[in-house]
Amino acid sequence: MATTVALVTGANKGIGLETARQLGARGVTVLAGARDEARGLQAERALRDAGAEARFVRLDVTDPKSAQEAADWVDHQYGRLDILVNNAGIGPKTRAGGPPSQTDLDAMREVYETNVFGVIIVTNAMLPLLRRAPAARIVNVSSEVGSITSMTDPASPLAQMPASLAYPSSKSALNMITALYAKELRDTPVTVNAANPGYTATDLNHHNGFRSVAEGAEASVHLATLDADGPSGILWGYLWTAGPSDAYGPLSW
Ligand SMILES: NC(=O)c1ccc[n+]([C@@H]2O[C@H](COP(=O)([O-])OP(=O)(O)OC[C@H]3O[C@@H](n4cnc5c(N)ncnc54)[C@H](OP(=O)(O)O)[C@@H]3O)[C@@H](O)[C@H]2O)c1
């Protein structure tokens, strides 16, 4: 039986590195996508030291040429791809914060290039390889701040956050993109789902998150290792709620 092959984008640190580590611990061959060679090779070494079968793949998700080169390499090495975790993302930069009325469009475009267009670029480059796998899984790493349901529920702690457009709306777009890929692929064995890591301590939020990366990677790993008859077109993971304990499981978009 051939090994399961997974590509995780933005795998050189944070939730992506931990997702790669957890998949590697399950015997999956992990291809650690990183845009910077030195950071990628460092991640490859850390994953191998943790016992994973891991290989660095250079991949800048905003660059179609880079995505195609990565796909060609995966094709040459393995001939197929079983799991794609679209994890790479950038947070609200200072310029892309602020209220909607003061949106800096250039900063907003930068967030969309990675969080929205990057996912489409990588998914479309990898789809021919994913279609060759017996039951491929695509996981798009979203965020609870992308949930229109939560952000507009006055009882949700998320509704109390200051309004800013770039990052939350990029993840709302990603949620719809997930649902529409699932729709296109519904008659195939490929599942397409979105993961909510929850507020996780990483560089993205200057380590202010209250979850560990182990928890943050949980939803991605769950969706990446679904049974062949598992669901497609769902949002799954952690949600900060007003209740005594946070939700974990299937979530409203
Ligand atoms: N942390 C949270 O609380 C939280 C909550 C919800 C969702 N998320 C999502 O979780 C995912 C991972 O975030 P994180 O918290 O682990 O952040 P992080 O520690 O900042 O890691 C982000 C990763 O994405 C990579 N990346 C950024 N732009 C890229 C590009 N153009 N091409 C390739 N890789 C690129 C970064 O690489 P470099 O090192 O080269 O910059 C890094 O490896 C993101 O999609 C984020 O939106 C995070």
Side-chain angles (χ1 to χ4, degrees), residues 108-141:
M108 181 148 173
R109 282 193 187 95
E110 196 184 328
V111 173
Y112 271 59
E113 286 295 339
T114 307
N115 295 5
V116 180
F117 303 131
V119 173
I120 301 169
I121 289 168
V122 174
T123 302
N124 289 350
M126 299 297 161
L127 210 44
L129 296 169
L130 291 158
R131 285 181 186 273
R132 279 189 223 143
R137 292 99 169 163
I138 300 173
V139 181
N140 293 333
V141 181

Side-chain angles (χ1 to χ4, degrees), residues 9-16 33-36 39 59-62 86-90 114-115 141-144 167 171 197-205 209:
T9 68
N12 56 285
K13 65 178 182 176
I15 295 167
R35 58 180 160 176
D36 178 86
R39 292 196 287 270
L59 175 52
D60 180 337
V61 302
T62 64
N86 284 310
N87 167 83
I90 60 172
T114 307
N115 295 5
V141 181
S142 187
S143 167
E144 47 197 345
Y167 183 74
K171 295 298 188 180
Y199 193 33
T200 303
T202 67
D203 287 351
L204 185 125
N205 50 39

Side-chain angles (χ1 to χ4, degrees), residues 33-229:
R35 58 180 160 176
D36 178 86
E37 183 170 4
R39 292 196 287 270
L41 287 172
Q42 195 179 14
E44 179 188 280
R45 273 193 300 277
L47 290 165
R48 284 175 177 260
D49 288 349
E53 178 60 41
R55 296 175 79 179
F56 155 62
V57 184
R58 189 198 299 269
L59 175 52
D60 180 337
V61 302
T62 64
D63 178 358
K65 185 167 169 280
S66 170
Q68 194 51 54
E69 283 171 2
D72 291 345
W73 182 82
V74 176
D75 188 9
H76 185 253
Q77 296 290 322
Y78 302 98
R80 68 174 204 291
L81 184 64
D82 299 282
I83 296 168
L84 169 63
V85 184
N86 284 310
N87 167 83
I90 60 172
K93 302 267 167 79
T94 316
R95 284 188 306 127
S101 57
Q102 290 167 34
T103 299
D104 177 327
L105 280 181
D106 287 338
M108 181 148 173
R109 282 193 187 95
E110 196 184 328
V111 173
Y112 271 59
E113 286 295 339
T114 307
N115 295 5
V116 180
F117 303 131
V119 173
I120 301 169
I121 289 168
V122 174
T123 302
N124 289 350
M126 299 297 161
L127 210 44
L129 296 169
L130 291 158
R131 285 181 186 273
R132 279 189 223 143
R137 292 99 169 163
I138 300 173
V139 181
N140 293 333
V141 181
S142 187
S143 167
E144 47 197 345
V145 300
S147 165
I148 296 174
T149 305
S150 298
M151 290 292 260
T152 56
D153 173 3
S156 166
L158 296 165
Q160 314 311 320
M161 291 173 60
S164 73
L165 286 185
Y167 183 74
S169 70
S170 75
K171 295 298 188 180
S172 306
L174 181 60
N175 287 351
M176 181 60 89
I177 286 164
T178 304
L180 294 178
Y181 271 101
K183 191 174 186 183
E184 179 184 350
L185 296 167
R186 67 185 159 197
D187 296 325
T188 76
V190 184
T191 62
V192 192
N193 295 299
N196 263 11
Y199 193 33
T200 303
T202 67
D203 287 351
L204 185 125
N205 50 39
H206 311 289
H207 293 263
N208 285 319
F210 48 75
R211 296 189 192 287
S212 65
V213 283
E215 286 175 299
E218 216 175 312
S220 293
V221 172
H222 171 79
L223 294 172
T225 55
L226 286 173
D227 289 341
D229 61 352

